[in-house]
């Protein structure tokens, strides 16, 4: 059945035919065996008594778990359902369709097995303890759709406790793809990252991570704004996370509104929602870049941005230059798992961005500063770059 009738209890009008419900019926995932169990001999190898030999060997040498189980090839996609897509705090069970979707994207685009873990708890330490207790079952943790600022502390604490990669995709996946697109936009206009002054609208998880990776990559300067204006050290209302953000951004000590710091800026990056007035967009520098990534409504509509900017990117698939996390996270984890990395370092993220940018180096244009998610060159390029960087940074175990 290609479509399904949805009644009013689903929150839609009577007799609406919606193919999304048909596709999701029964879930989007299943477990599939990788070995046959067709007779008694195969059963005795896959389960008792043969399995006991493998268990005993792992008990004697715990590192063998990576060779003789799926642990080194699987990622847990973990959420508490508190910041799901554009839906907000919808809870653990309502988040499951998204976590299933994320898991199948891992497989489709990176060849990485993943499974959704939706947690019915909200306290930071509860989440950390729960994930840490589950850790023997997987080789990596992808944190997903956890509200800021709690997400920062959860990631930091899990990275301290676990010896497998921990990666909050809402932060770092967005940051990697943004940096890749920005590198190519600068190259297209014969500039370097060091030439660019950037304004970021949004000081949440994505805004923080984008600012951090841009500084690591050598951006000229970056100013981050929240609802109250520039995140500056002179403000006395900053959270600990925003105080840290103010410490490594805004080199010139700017203050004021988003609109005021956009005047003369080379780059606008939106990860906040809201609407930026066209008058403010008009004050951007010549050959500017507008990356307005709120979904479904970008902070600056592409038609408006195109009047003033040399390169325009959004989070939407129906416009050129989609900043889509699926360009990053499958390859990042595939590379990390390939070398059994203990961490995903800043160097590995930078390497992923460089590799992603290089994929379209020969096709570079204003409408092509980032590859399509369906470009088959993406995952292998990112995987190889991340694996090499892990070895160079000393976090690879093979």
């Amino acid at each position: 059945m290609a479509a399904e009738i949805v009644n009013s209890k689903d929150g839609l009008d009577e007799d609406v035919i919606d193919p999304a419900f048909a596709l999701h019926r029964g879930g989007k995932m299943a477990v599939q065996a990788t070995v046959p169990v067709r007779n008694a001999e195969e059963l005795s190898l896959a389960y008792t008594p043969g399995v006991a030999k493998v268990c005993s060997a792992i008990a004697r040498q715990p590192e063998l778990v990576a060779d003789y189980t799926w642990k080194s090839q699987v990622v847990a996609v973990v959420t508490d359902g508190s910041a799901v897509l554009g839906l907000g705090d919808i809870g653990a069970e309502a988040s499951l369709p998204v976590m299933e979707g994320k898991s199948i994207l891992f497989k489709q685009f990176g060849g990485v097995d993943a499974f959704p873990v939706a947690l019915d708890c909200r306290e930071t330490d509860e989440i950390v303890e729960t994930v840490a207790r589950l850790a023997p079952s997987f080789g990596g943790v992808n944190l997903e759709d956890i509200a800021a600022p709690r997400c920062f502390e959860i990631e930091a604490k899990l990275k301290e406790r676990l010896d497998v990669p921990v990666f909050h995709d809402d932060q770092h996946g967005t940051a990697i793809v943004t940096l890749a697109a920005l590198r190519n936009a600068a190259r297209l206009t014969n500039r370097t990252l060091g030439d660019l002054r950037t304004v970021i609208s949004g000081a949440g998880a994505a805004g923080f991570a984008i600012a951090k990776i841009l500084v690591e990559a050598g951006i000229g300067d970056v100013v981050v704004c929240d609802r109250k204006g520039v995140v500056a050290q002179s403000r006395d209302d900053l959270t600990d996370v925003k105080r840290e953000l103010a410490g490594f951004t805004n080199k010139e000590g700017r203050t004021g509104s988003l609109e005021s710091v956009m005047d003369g800026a080379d780059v606008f990056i939106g990860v906040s929602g809201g609407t930026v007035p066209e008058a403010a967009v008009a004050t951007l520098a010549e050959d500017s870049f507008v990356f307005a990534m709120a979904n479904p409504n970008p902070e600056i509509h592409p038609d408006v941005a195109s009047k003033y900017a040399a390169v325009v990117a959004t989070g939407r698939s129906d416009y050129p230059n989609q900043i889509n996390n699926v360009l990053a996270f499958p390859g990042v984890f595939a590379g990390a798992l390939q070398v059994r990395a203990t961490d995903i370092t800043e160097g590995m993220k930078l390497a992923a961005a460089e590799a992603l940018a290089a994929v379209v180096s020969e096709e570079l244009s204003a409408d092509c500063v980032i590859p399509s998610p369906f470009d088959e060159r993406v995952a292998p390029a990112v995987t190889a770059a991340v694996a090499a960087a892990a070895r160079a940074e000393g976090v690879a175990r093979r």
Side-chain angles (χ1 to χ4, degrees):
M1 181 169 66
E4 186 162 303
I5 301 223
V6 181
N7 61 38
S8 58
K9 72 179 181 180
D10 297 302
L12 301 174
D13 293 334
E14 292 277 359
D15 300 328
V16 172
I17 298 178
D18 193 321
F21 281 84
L23 183 144
H24 282 78
R25 181 173 287 282
K28 302 191 291 285
M29 301 175 61
V31 174
Q32 180 175 324
T34 60
V35 297
V37 184
R38 296 165 298 195
N39 52 50
E41 181 181 1
E42 290 176 347
L43 176 61
S44 71
L45 289 173
Y47 199 54
T48 186
V51 73
K53 298 177 183 179
V54 181
C55 293
S56 297
I58 294 170
R60 292 190 300 270
Q61 295 178 257
E63 66 275 13
L64 292 179
V65 71
D67 293 309
Y68 294 105
T69 73
W70 79 337
K71 177 182 171 75
S72 64
Q73 304 169 63
V74 67
V75 172
V77 181
V78 178
T79 189
D80 64 356
S82 61
V84 181
L85 294 179
L87 303 173
D89 186 352
I90 61 174
E93 289 187 334
S95 76
L96 269 174
V98 177
M99 300 310 118
E100 286 184 7
K102 194 81 173 191
S103 297
I104 65 175
L105 295 181
F106 266 106
K107 189 68 172 179
Q108 176 75 23
F109 292 100
V112 173
D113 287 309
F115 64 91
V117 179
L119 302 179
D120 187 18
C121 56
R122 292 297 172 84
E123 293 298 323
T124 294
D125 289 339
E126 279 189 293
I127 293 172
V128 170
E129 189 63 33
T130 302
V131 176
R133 288 177 183 272
L134 291 169
S137 298
F138 43 74
V141 179
N142 184 92
L143 299 173
E144 190 76 20
D145 293 349
I146 299 174
R150 188 167 65 250
C151 60
F152 299 108
E153 188 176 0
I154 290 169
E155 183 185 44
K157 287 186 173 183
L158 284 172
K159 286 170 77 74
E160 286 180 8
R161 288 190 59 171
L162 304 183
D163 65 348
V164 298
V166 178
F167 184 86
H168 184 209
D169 186 52
D170 301 319
Q171 291 185 65
H172 310 302
T174 306
I176 289 167
V177 181
T178 300
L179 173 58
L182 191 57
R183 281 191 180 281
N184 276 340
R187 180 170 169 240
L188 185 68
T189 55
N190 298 311
R191 288 178 286 178
T192 68
L193 292 179
D195 297 326
L196 304 176
R197 178 167 73 84
T198 299
V199 173
I200 299 175
S201 175
F208 184 98
I210 292 169
K212 187 171 184 179
I213 202 170
L214 292 185
V215 170
E216 291 277 351
I219 198 76
D221 192 17
V222 57
V223 175
V224 184
C225 298
D226 63 9
R227 291 183 181 87
K228 297 181 180 179
V230 174
V231 176
Q233 290 182 309
S234 58
R235 281 175 50 179
D236 60 6
D237 62 343
L238 299 181
T239 63
D240 289 344
V241 171
K242 289 183 182 180
R243 194 172 297 110
E244 180 184 353
L245 182 60
F248 65 82
T249 61
N250 194 16
K251 292 189 296 190
E252 298 180 7
R254 295 172 184 268
T255 59
S257 66
L258 170 67
E259 289 83 356
S260 70
V261 292
M262 285 178 64
D263 191 357
D266 302 290
V267 185
F268 169 86
I269 296 174
V271 282
S272 64
T275 302
V276 176
E278 183 172 349
V281 183
T283 67
L284 291 168
E286 186 177 358
D287 285 336
S288 62
F289 314 138
V290 169
F291 291 7
M293 298 188 288
N295 263 321
N297 300 311
E299 294 88 348
I300 303 170
H301 193 279
D303 293 344
V304 173
S306 296
K307 295 180 185 179
Y308 307 100
V311 176
V312 178
T314 71
R316 291 174 51 149
S317 60
D318 53 346
Y319 288 96
N321 299 323
Q322 184 190 19
I323 307 298
N324 190 328
N325 289 13
V326 78
L327 291 164
F329 68 81
V332 168
F333 270 100
L337 294 177
Q338 185 181 96
V339 298
R340 296 181 188 167
T342 57
D343 193 11
I344 294 174
T345 65
E346 292 304 313
M348 292 161 73
K349 297 169 197 170
L350 290 170
E354 291 172 11
L356 183 54
V359 168
V360 291
S361 59
E362 299 302 317
E363 301 112 282
L364 202 56
S365 71
D367 285 344
C368 183
V369 295
I370 199 74
S372 160
F374 298 99
D375 190 323
E376 295 182 356
R377 299 170 295 176
V378 169
V382 174
T383 299
V386 168
R391 292 191 177 102
E393 300 220 329
V395 297
R397 285 180 279 205
R398 72 170 187 179

